[in-house]
Amino acid sequence: MRFAARNFLLRRRVDRWILFAAGVAQAVRFGMSGLVTFVFSCIGFYLWVARHKSARYFDQPFLWLALCYVAWSCGLILLRSHHPLQDRQMGYSLLCGFFAFSGAGMVLITDPLRSFVVGSRIGIAGAFAVGLGYALFDPIRQGMGGNEAVFAFTAAVSTLVATIPVKNPPRWAPNCPFYLIAGCFAVMFSETRAVYVPLLFFALVEIAWAILTLPRRSKSIALIAALAGMVLLAVLPVTQQNLVARIDPWVDYMTSNKSSEQDGISESDMIRGYLWVGAVKVIAAHPIVGVGSEAKMQAIVAMQSSSAEQQILEPFIHTHNAVLDELLNDGAVGLLIVIGLFGSIAGCLWRGCTRCVEKRNLVYFFLIFLSYGMFHNPLLHEMTIATIFLYLGVLHATVARRRRERGMC
């Protein structure tokens, strides 16, 4: 007992700094955030299985649905695959189910939201500085050493987190809307349309709200910073290249009267079209349980009408659409479990968030999650999975602590 008491006292001091470091790491797409999510998930799963009293304040349907998803998805893989351990979907499904317990592992942190927010502010500042340096001296698409879309998603979520006001913030990380400007730059440098388009819209809404509600002096500073950010965004060569390469084709296509579906569409958009049409045909033939992650791409390639299209799609491992991928992997049953999983935690957090700014932040998160999922798949990469469940876990732990303080079961 003396050892356990010392361990708990040590963790009360250490856990909040670990979560702080995860907030910094997530913004710059460093793998430490995934490791921290795993550690908290181990603690949370142990507490839940041991039926510790702290676990009763967490949303039980969310945790049970996470286990149901693991059972269904991994069960199908075991039935279908001759080498299930070599199936990447097995690992992703296990992570989705296991990381759902990350919030329950943060029970010893007095204010998990504050630690995560302050860490995210430092991380976003670092991501902005690195991205701006590359944009000025070597204007290439930014991914922090990895996949650009994955970095865009992690940086966007960190940007949302950084904007949440906290009590008594450090002087070097105050509450202000400037993190939105820095985060939008960092995401813009990745050139990932599915993320920076909604994030820019949310930034405009939040900055306008801040200008309307802040005191006069702070209002002037916020307005000047917003205008300076717009000017810098407009004059950077990397931004102009991004607009020409990734936005102009869509604008030309939507405003033209051309009948060809390929006119004005970039190569990546055309490939997605082939993937999605083929996926719909395969799903129509196997709607309930899908065909599995190993066979789905072979089935999609076989559905193409020409050998040229088949050759284009052969290197791809998923459809770049979360809904289609889930229907292919686990069928309609798996998709319903996923919808129930995120719907349950969204309802729990919406009821538990006591401030309007937290509820807006939650809405922004799920809109970016959906936008990214329509062109990529956040549940098919370990970094994006960790980002999703770390964000939800921190809010879940915050809501559970509030429920415990009110004496609610």
Side-chain angles (χ1 to χ4, degrees), residues 13-22 32 115:
R13 295 193 299 268
V14 172
D15 280 10
R16 61 190 181 98
W17 290 108
I18 294 176
L19 186 57
F20 169 86
M32 179 186 175
S115 298

Side-chain angles (χ1 to χ4, degrees), residues 160-214:
L160 296 180
V161 174
T163 60
I164 300 176
V166 295
K167 294 181 179 179
N168 301 319
R171 185 173 299 178
W172 40 268
N175 296 328
C176 64
F178 304 148
Y179 307 107
L180 276 169
I181 300 173
C184 285
F185 271 106
V187 174
M188 279 288 292
F189 296 147
S190 74
E191 301 183 17
T192 305
R193 293 166 296 179
V195 178
Y196 72 67
V197 171
L199 186 63
L200 283 172
F201 175 74
F202 302 152
L204 290 174
V205 172
E206 288 298 308
I207 291 173
W209 178 261
I211 291 173
L212 292 174
T213 57
L214 287 174

Side-chain angles (χ1 to χ4, degrees), residues 65 69 326-327 330-343:
L65 283 169
Y69 179 70
E326 190 57 43
L327 287 170
D330 304 318
V333 176
L335 180 62
L336 288 175
I337 295 174
V338 171
I339 293 173
L341 176 74
F342 288 108

Side-chain angles (χ1 to χ4, degrees), residues 123-166:
I124 283 298
F128 167 72
V130 173
L132 184 61
Y134 274 106
L136 293 174
F137 300 104
D138 188 15
I140 59 174
R141 194 177 176 195
Q142 294 302 309
M144 291 294 172
N147 187 290
E148 294 86 359
V150 172
F151 164 66
F153 184 78
T154 60
V157 173
S158 295
T159 300
L160 296 180
V161 174
T163 60
I164 300 176
V166 295

Side-chain angles (χ1 to χ4, degrees), residues 36-218:
V36 171
T37 309
F38 177 78
V39 170
F40 282 126
S41 299
C42 290
I43 299 169
F45 186 72
Y46 164 75
L47 294 174
W48 186 77
V49 170
R51 301 179 64 86
H52 192 271
K53 62 180 181 180
S54 64
R56 73 180 66 167
Y57 299 100
F58 290 85
D59 187 50
Q60 298 304 312
F62 171 65
L63 301 178
W64 278 109
L65 283 169
L67 295 181
C68 288
Y69 179 70
V70 171
W72 176 259
S73 182
C74 294
L76 289 178
I77 292 172
L78 291 173
L79 290 174
R80 290 168 172 159
S81 180
H82 297 292
H83 304 285
L85 296 180
Q86 298 178 7
D87 193 325
R88 295 177 54 168
Q89 183 62 40
M90 174 77 81
Y92 296 141
S93 298
L94 288 171
L95 287 179
C96 288
F98 189 61
F99 282 176
F101 293 85
S102 61
M106 303 176 190
V107 293
L108 292 180
I109 305 177
T110 305
D111 191 352
L113 185 59
R114 185 181 191 277
S115 298
F116 195 46
V117 167
V118 176
S120 297
R121 291 174 179 178
I122 303 304
I124 283 298
F128 167 72
V130 173
L132 184 61
Y134 274 106
L136 293 174
F137 300 104
D138 188 15
I140 59 174
R141 194 177 176 195
Q142 294 302 309
M144 291 294 172
N147 187 290
E148 294 86 359
V150 172
F151 164 66
F153 184 78
T154 60
V157 173
S158 295
T159 300
L160 296 180
V161 174
T163 60
I164 300 176
V166 295
K167 294 181 179 179
N168 301 319
R171 185 173 299 178
W172 40 268
N175 296 328
C176 64
F178 304 148
Y179 307 107
L180 276 169
I181 300 173
C184 285
F185 271 106
V187 174
M188 279 288 292
F189 296 147
S190 74
E191 301 183 17
T192 305
R193 293 166 296 179
V195 178
Y196 72 67
V197 171
L199 186 63
L200 283 172
F201 175 74
F202 302 152
L204 290 174
V205 172
E206 288 298 308
I207 291 173
W209 178 261
I211 291 173
L212 292 174
T213 57
L214 287 174
R216 179 171 298 180
R217 182 179 178 183
S218 300

Side-chain angles (χ1 to χ4, degrees), residues 9 29 34 86 94 117 129 140 155 158 171 183 194 197 205 221 223 243 257 281 290 364 366 393 405:
L9 291 173
R29 196 189 176 276
Q86 298 178 7
L94 288 171
V117 167
I140 59 174
S158 295
R171 185 173 299 178
V197 171
V205 172
I221 295 174
L223 182 59
L243 293 174
N257 295 320
K281 294 178 181 179
Y364 297 156
F366 276 107
E405 290 172 352

Side-chain angles (χ1 to χ4, degrees), residues 261-279:
E261 293 183 358
Q262 296 182 0
D263 289 337
I265 300 295
S266 67
E267 183 180 357
S268 63
D269 299 318
M270 194 182 306
I271 292 173
R272 282 188 172 91
Y274 295 151
L275 288 169
W276 296 347
V277 171

